[in-house]
């Protein structure tokens, strides 16, 4: 069996640098314990040490030398909390003598422990490798695993826009470049394996993890996922080189439509819907991109938790798709078999169900899989299942080159991490992600030759939201700081907070740490990070009190009255749209603008000044009142550390907006679900007092110029079930400035069983054109795009008529339709 990975063989082997004096307890323990030891009981040149041997040969040679305890250790993780005890003298009791001689499979979460930046992270990673190689009987290195959703989750790494923003670009080459850069930063810092990308379909935006996804559409999410994985892993199998990392696709599968929008809640879907929609991105990740690892979802499917589901983790993933990589649990997901789903009596029983289903690694720390040794010893578990899991983990370590070159060069991080080139990519992604929803009257781009004063108002005006699962970058740029720097003294930029989103309910963090927009700010230059605040993802939140916001609104009106134009930076922050887990609050029952933001809009609008609204959020908001009253709206998502520069680029016209919505924007939560690819019977009637049509459709986005798409035609009007057909369309820039259009191709097949969605995205092209320029674009319909899962759960291309639709969004009015016959 051959594991499909991507990369270039070879990995530099510098001597490990000394650990920097950061994170005192762990660092001192590491330094005290790093005494070189000679591995014992080994042949002079065992096959697994011979880099000229085939990967499979090396894996099997090592596996046959291992004890049961050593094999189980490869299926376990340690967190920095565990490491404190291990390095102190082996206080962690796993399943016998509690020292490091058994080794460990993964180290999880070092990025949040190795304070001081990427160089210190690399030094710590080297120390960990050295410790386990020298203390372990067989000298097996560890996999350093980190979160890396939109940048390495570590201090000092580049913070790119969130995945929802990335998806808004519809720019696969740019997304792959971003993740290639993220991989380079992670690898330079000593990380080998990342827990990204998220390929769930976000079909219920109340779900707090919507921002982690690439939207609602199976095809778009598939393409984004393949681009991200290729960026992470490289594109030259069978190994992953020193500039890349192993990727993990998650959460397998159906996580984006939980009951009530509540994280971990059971999704209610048929096996047909699961296979025809929610599995498609994961199948592409396995079959096309050769993803190294898969993470099961927390929830249950068809009454069985995915962490205990042989149907999901063995039958579909391995038997049907041929996946040969590692299945790593979601954090505490194995334990959830016992304490959340109540299908296991205790942690040991939870571990038994998980390994039988096909979970290879128990993350993030020593917990459930400690019981595997006792299960085998008691005859309740076949040791062959342990061999199976350990084999997969060892194969990953060999594919990463860790046995031959386990160390990285800490000095090399300085030229790689947060480099000018990476910041430029982050800025470009943010600019392409911004989506123009309305520009009535042509207020944008702002004409600074005619504007003497701009008022920038709102909780996001002087705050750059990094999003959840983010590290702390070396710098952030807010919209206020960027506009003032760009405009200098020629145009005055006034500022008012407008409203405060949240109360500051926690003690202050160190200066320069992460903060919450709207929380009290420390004195300092505009654009500096707040000195107080809350790291995204922790603690309870409370909305700011109305008395405070009424005062701030009065102050904002006074500022707006002095300006020629007002820019309102509104929305939600990462504390307000976040994951709920282990009893901590998250998700949302409402998606409305909170903390008197509508009152702020009305008060500013009453001044009679032109108003531009920037909406920042992790996922979709509902803003029908604002949409009725404000003529110019830009949807910005979370744009990361280059937020301000990207916003200034778009407001001032240096970047012409080209973002397109990767998810439908509802009028209210009462419309949910509102995804575009619904079944024909779903929306035949309106509600009594409300419309069924969404506020803005999937794929929608405007530009500072205008486009016309015409001359839509097929290469031929009829094809066989095994044939492909090209689709052509002419795109013309009919406006006065250069811009980029995203041409989208949808299909619809009638007269089938099971029923098909009203339309499905099957291809798209970004086309950049000068004013007056025309170009013919070519897209492709293949059997894989024309087919669907039948009633027998098998994929087929069914003969019959298809409608082929080409245009600028999923809305019928934006599409031109031609007919295709499949025979």
């Amino acid at each position: 069996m051959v594991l499909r990975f991507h990369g270039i063989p070879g990995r530099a082997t510098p001597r490990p640098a000394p650990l920097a004096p950061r994170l005192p307890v762990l660092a001192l323990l590491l330094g005290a314990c790093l005494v070189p030891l000679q591995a014992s009981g080994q042949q002079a040149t065992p096959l697994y040490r011979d880099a000229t041997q085939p990967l499979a040969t090396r894996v099997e040679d090592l596996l046959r030398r291992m004890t049961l305890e050593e094999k189980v250790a490869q299926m376990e993780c340690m967190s920095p909390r565990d490491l404190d005890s291990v390095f102190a003298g082996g206080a962690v009791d796993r399943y016998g003598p509690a020292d490091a001689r058994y080794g460990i499979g993964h180290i999880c979460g070092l990025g949040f422990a190795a304070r001081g930046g990427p160089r210190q992270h690399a030094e710590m990673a080297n120390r960990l490798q050295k410790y386990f190689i020298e203390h372990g009987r067989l000298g097996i290195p560890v996999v350093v695993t980190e979160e890396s959703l939109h940048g390495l989750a570590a201090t000092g790494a580049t913070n790119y826009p969130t995945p929802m923003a990335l998806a808004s670009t519809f720019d696969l080459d740019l997304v792959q470049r971003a993740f290639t850069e993220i991989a380079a930063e992670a690898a330079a810092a000593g990380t080998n394996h990342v827990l990204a990308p998220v390929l769930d379909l976000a079909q219920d935006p109340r779900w707090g993890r919507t921002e982690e996804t690439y939207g609602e559409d199976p095809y778009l999410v598939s393409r984004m996922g393949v681009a991200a994985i290729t960026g992470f892993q490289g594109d030259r199998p069978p190994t992953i080189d020193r500039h890349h990392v192993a990727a993990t696709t998650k959460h397998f599968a159906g996580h984006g439509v939980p009951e009530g929008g509540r994280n971990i809640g059971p999704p209610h879907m048929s096996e047909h819907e699961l296979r025809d929609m929610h599995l498609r991105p994961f199948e592409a990740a396995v079959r096309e991109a050769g993803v190294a690892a898969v993470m099961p979802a927390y929830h249950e499917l068809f009454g069985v938790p995915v962490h205990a589901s042989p149907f999901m983790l063995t039958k579909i993933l391995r038997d049907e798709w041929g996946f040969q990589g590692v299945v790593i649990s979601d954090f505490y997901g194995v334990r959830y078999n016992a304490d959340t789903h109540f299908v296991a009596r205790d942690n040991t029983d939870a571990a038994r169900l998980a390994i039988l289903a096909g979970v290879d690694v128990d993350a993030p720390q020593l917990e459930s899989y400690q019981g595997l040794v006792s299960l085998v010893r008691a005859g309740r578990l076949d040791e062959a299942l342990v061999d199976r899991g350990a084999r997969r983990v060892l194969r990953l370590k060999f594919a990463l080159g860790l046995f031959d070159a386990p160390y990285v060069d800490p000095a090399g991080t300085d030229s790689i991490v947060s480099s000018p080139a990476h910041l430029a990519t982050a800025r470009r992604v943010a600019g392409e992600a911004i989506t123009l929803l309305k520009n009535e009257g042509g207020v944008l781009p702002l004409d600074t030759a005619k504007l003497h004063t701009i008022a920038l108002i709102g909780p996001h005006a002087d705050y750059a939201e990094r999003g959840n699962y983010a590290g702390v970058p070396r710098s952030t740029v807010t919209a206020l700081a960027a506009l003032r720097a760009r405009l200098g003294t020629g145009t005055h930029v006034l500022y008012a907070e407008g409203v405060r989103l949240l109360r500051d309910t926690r003690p202050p963090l160190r200066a320069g740490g992460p903060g919450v927009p709207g929380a009290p700010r420390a004195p300092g230059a505009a654009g500096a990070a707040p000195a107080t605040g809350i790291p995204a993802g922790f603690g309870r939140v409370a909305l700011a009190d109305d008395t405070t916001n009424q005062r701030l609104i009065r102050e904002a009106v006074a500022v707006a009255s002095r300006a020629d134009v007002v820019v309102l930076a509104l929305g939600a922050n990462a504390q307000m749209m976040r994951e709920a887990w282990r009893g901590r609050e998250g998700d949302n029952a409402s998606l409305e603008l909170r903390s008197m933001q509508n009152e702020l809009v009305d008060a500013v609008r009453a001044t009679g000044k032109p108003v531009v609204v920037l909406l920042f959020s992790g996922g979709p908001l509902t803003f029908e009142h604002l949409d009725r009253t404000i003529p110019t709206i830009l949807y910005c998502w979370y744009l990361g550390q280059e937020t301000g520069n990207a916003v200034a680029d778009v407001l001032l016209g240096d970047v012409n907006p080209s973002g397109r919505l990767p998810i439908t924007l509802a009028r209210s939560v009462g419309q949910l679900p509102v995804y575009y690819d619904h079944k024909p019977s779903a929306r035949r009637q309106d509600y009594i007092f409300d419309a069924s049509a969404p506020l803005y459709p999937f794929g929608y986005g405007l530009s500072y110029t205008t486009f016309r798409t015409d001359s839509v035609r097929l290469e031929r009007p009829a094809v066989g079930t095994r044939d492909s057909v090209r689709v052509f369309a002419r795109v013309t820039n009919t406006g006065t400035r250069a811009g980029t259009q995203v041409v989208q191709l949808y299909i619809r097949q009638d007269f089938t069983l099971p029923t098909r969605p009203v339309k499905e995205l099957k291809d798209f092209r970004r086309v950049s054109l000068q004013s007056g320029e025309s170009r013919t674009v070519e897209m492709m319909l293949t059997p894989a795009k024309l087919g669907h899962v039948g009633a027998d759960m098998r994929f087929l291309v069914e003969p019959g008529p298809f409608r082929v639709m080409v245009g600028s969004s999923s809305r019928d009015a934006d599409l031109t339709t031609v007919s295709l016959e499949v025979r």
Side-chain angles (χ1 to χ4, degrees):
M1 299 175 72
V2 178
L3 180 63
R4 287 192 62 215
F5 285 133
H6 298 291
I8 304 170
R11 192 178 283 258
T13 316
R15 295 177 61 83
L19 181 65
R22 308 278 180 164
L23 189 63
V25 174
L26 181 54
L28 290 174
L29 291 173
L30 278 167
C33 297
L34 292 176
V35 179
L37 299 178
Q38 296 295 326
S40 61
Q42 300 181 27
Q43 297 177 2
T45 309
L47 288 178
Y48 77 91
R49 291 289 186 193
D50 186 349
T52 66
Q53 294 293 321
L55 186 149
T57 300
R58 301 179 74 183
V59 169
E60 295 305 319
D61 180 69
L62 176 56
L63 188 66
R64 69 178 178 82
R65 300 169 185 270
M66 298 171 71
T67 66
L68 174 62
E69 288 81 2
E70 288 168 337
K71 288 182 286 190
V72 169
Q74 292 304 304
M75 303 174 70
E76 292 186 296
C77 292
M78 283 186 179
S79 70
R81 184 178 70 182
D82 297 318
L83 293 172
D84 284 343
S85 296
V86 170
F87 292 125
V92 175
D93 184 12
R94 287 194 278 169
Y95 31 64
D99 57 30
R101 63 177 174 170
Y102 295 133
I104 196 70
H106 291 64
I107 304 292
C108 291
L110 188 61
F112 291 116
R115 304 291 184 185
R119 183 168 186 149
Q120 286 70 37
H121 187 289
E123 291 169 348
M124 180 72 82
N126 281 346
R127 291 282 187 168
L128 291 170
Q129 295 289 9
K130 188 174 191 293
Y131 182 85
F132 281 101
I133 289 170
E134 294 185 349
H135 284 67
R137 184 178 69 89
L138 296 168
I140 302 174
V142 300
V143 175
V144 178
T145 299
E146 302 286 9
E147 299 286 358
S148 196
L149 189 67
H150 49 109
L152 181 67
T155 302
T158 305
N159 174 232
Y160 294 77
T162 55
M164 190 67 75
L166 288 162
S168 297
T169 69
F170 278 68
D171 191 335
L172 301 180
D173 291 337
L174 183 59
V175 168
Q176 183 171 330
R177 178 195 301 180
F179 282 100
T180 299
E181 293 174 357
I182 294 169
E185 293 197 4
T191 296
N192 321 116
H193 171 219
V194 296
L195 301 177
V198 171
L199 299 187
D200 302 304
L201 303 185
Q203 294 186 336
D204 190 333
R206 295 174 296 176
W207 184 47
R209 308 194 72 171
T210 296
E211 76 164 74
E212 302 175 36
T213 76
Y214 295 97
E216 69 185 32
D217 177 74
Y219 182 77
L220 178 63
V221 174
S222 297
R223 294 305 94 206
M224 288 288 163
V226 169
I229 294 165
T230 304
F232 274 136
Q233 297 187 172
D235 57 2
R236 294 193 233 174
T239 56
I240 299 173
D241 71 31
R242 66 181 302 271
H243 304 295
H244 292 88
V245 293
T248 304
T249 183
K250 60 184 189 181
H251 308 86
F252 184 70
H255 208 34
V257 58
E259 179 178 287
R262 297 173 181 267
N263 194 42
I264 309 177
H268 300 295
M269 66 179 70
S270 65
E271 182 184 343
H272 180 267
E273 183 180 351
L274 173 72
R275 287 180 176 273
D276 202 48
M277 297 189 71
H278 296 271
L279 290 185
R280 289 197 177 196
F282 293 94
E283 185 173 8
V286 171
R287 292 184 183 273
E288 296 182 46
V291 70
V294 170
M295 178 181 285
Y298 280 127
H299 61 241
E300 63 178 70
L301 272 172
F302 317 131
V304 180
V306 181
H307 281 79
S309 175
F311 172 74
M312 292 292 293
L313 302 183
T314 299
K315 183 180 186 297
I316 292 178
L317 183 61
R318 297 196 185 275
D319 296 344
E320 295 183 14
W321 296 352
F323 178 65
Q324 298 179 46
V326 172
V327 173
I328 182 170
S329 79
D330 206 340
F331 283 13
Y332 309 104
V334 173
R335 189 181 77 185
Y336 278 17
N337 286 339
D339 66 13
T340 298
H341 298 292
F342 301 102
V343 297
R345 294 179 180 274
D346 51 30
N347 263 356
T348 299
D349 194 33
R352 181 184 63 83
L353 291 178
I355 193 172
L356 286 171
V359 177
D360 302 311
V361 177
D362 179 23
Q365 61 193 48
L366 299 171
E367 192 156 350
S368 302
Y369 271 22
Q370 295 180 74
L372 294 181
V373 170
S374 63
L375 286 170
V376 173
R377 298 285 190 226
R380 297 178 57 202
L381 185 72
D382 189 340
E383 188 172 350
L385 293 173
V386 174
D387 291 349
R388 182 184 70 181
R391 179 181 291 109
R392 292 166 180 165
V393 174
L394 293 174
R395 190 187 297 132
L396 174 61
K397 292 184 176 185
F398 280 111
L400 286 164
L402 292 176
F403 282 87
D404 308 314
Y407 305 114
V408 294
D409 178 11
T413 62
D414 295 335
S415 62
I416 296 173
V417 179
S418 199
S419 70
H422 292 185
L423 294 181
T425 299
R427 179 173 179 171
R428 179 180 166 188
V429 171
E432 286 194 13
I434 294 174
T435 305
L436 180 63
L437 300 181
K438 298 176 68 176
N439 193 21
E440 298 170 4
V443 174
L444 293 179
L446 299 177
D447 186 353
T448 55
K450 299 178 181 178
L451 298 174
H452 299 290
T453 305
I454 298 172
L456 185 58
I457 298 171
H460 283 273
D462 197 21
Y463 181 78
E465 178 58 76
R466 302 192 307 272
N468 288 290
Y469 285 93
V472 181
R474 292 173 180 169
S475 64
T476 59
V477 183
T478 71
L480 179 62
L483 283 173
R484 284 180 170 171
R486 292 279 293 279
L487 297 176
T489 58
T491 301
H492 297 292
V493 181
L494 308 177
Y495 166 71
E497 188 177 354
V499 296
R500 186 165 297 165
L501 297 180
L502 300 177
R503 296 178 189 173
D504 188 21
T505 57
R506 263 128 311 198
L509 301 176
R510 61 184 176 83
V516 173
R521 300 176 58 85
T532 60
I534 309 156
F538 293 89
R540 299 185 65 85
V541 295
L543 294 175
D545 63 273
D546 289 353
T547 301
T548 297
N549 280 335
Q550 289 165 356
R551 172 180 58 81
L552 292 174
I553 289 173
R554 291 193 296 270
E555 294 172 0
V557 168
V559 170
S561 300
R562 297 162 50 197
D564 299 317
V565 65
V566 180
V567 178
L568 290 176
L570 309 175
N573 62 48
Q575 281 294 97
M576 301 168 73
M577 307 185 82
R578 68 181 194 181
E579 174 186 3
W581 62 286
R582 298 187 72 184
R584 189 207 61 179
E585 64 185 19
D587 311 314
N588 275 282
S590 171
L591 300 176
E592 290 289 333
L593 291 170
R594 297 183 185 268
S595 285
M596 300 187 70
Q597 291 185 82
N598 281 323
E599 288 84 345
L600 171 64
V601 169
D602 290 343
V604 170
R605 185 172 59 88
T607 66
K609 300 303 175 86
V611 178
V612 174
V613 168
L614 310 173
L615 282 176
F616 294 87
S617 72
L621 297 170
T622 54
F623 52 97
E624 190 169 21
H625 172 74
L626 185 151
D627 189 68
R628 285 197 305 266
T629 57
I630 300 298
T632 307
I633 302 174
L634 290 159
Y635 214 99
C636 299
W637 310 108
Y638 293 154
L639 300 177
Q641 73 178 93
E642 287 294 306
T643 291
N645 286 326
V647 166
D649 289 340
V650 170
L651 290 177
L652 301 178
D654 296 332
V655 170
N656 191 344
S658 61
R660 299 295 183 267
L661 294 176
I663 191 168
T664 305
L665 301 184
R667 296 180 184 275
S668 71
V669 294
Q671 284 190 315
L672 301 179
V674 73
Y675 46 86
Y676 84 93
D677 48 348
H678 59 84
K679 292 299 184 71
S681 61
R683 299 176 201 166
R684 292 180 63 83
Q685 300 83 222
D686 283 339
Y687 297 106
I688 293 176
F689 299 112
D690 294 285
S692 292
L695 190 61
Y696 288 99
F698 173 88
Y700 180 85
L702 300 177
S703 169
Y704 294 154
T705 189
T706 55
F707 298 94
R708 182 180 67 247
T709 301
D710 57 17
S711 301
V712 177
R713 62 183 178 86
L714 302 175
E715 180 182 17
R716 54 187 184 276
V719 295
T721 58
R722 297 183 179 181
D723 296 333
S724 298
V725 61
R726 292 183 294 175
V727 182
F728 302 96
R730 183 177 63 187
V731 185
T732 302
N733 183 341
T734 57
T736 59
R737 63 170 63 216
T740 299
Q741 176 68 301
V742 178
V743 185
Q744 300 158 44
L745 168 64
Y746 299 84
I747 66 169
R748 157 72 186 165
Q749 186 176 19
D750 294 308
F751 321 128
T752 66
L753 280 175
T755 58
R756 304 300 305 143
V758 293
K759 59 176 68 74
E760 301 172 83
L761 181 70
K762 294 300 178 182
D763 210 345
F764 55 85
R765 293 288 185 274
R766 283 179 58 91
V767 187
S768 297
L769 301 171
Q770 297 296 317
S771 174
E773 183 183 3
S774 295
R775 187 177 307 163
T776 296
V777 298
E778 176 184 319
M779 293 173 284
M780 182 70 72
L781 287 173
T782 64
K785 295 178 181 180
L786 292 169
H788 63 269
V789 175
D792 62 355
M793 304 304 153
R794 297 178 182 272
F795 186 85
L796 79 160
V797 179
E798 191 169 354
F802 283 76
R803 281 176 269 167
V804 179
M805 296 160 274
V806 177
S808 58
S809 87
S810 63
R811 187 171 58 182
D812 288 342
D814 296 330
L815 297 169
T816 298
T817 302
V818 295
S819 296
L820 172 68
E821 186 73 23
V822 176
R823 298 170 179 167

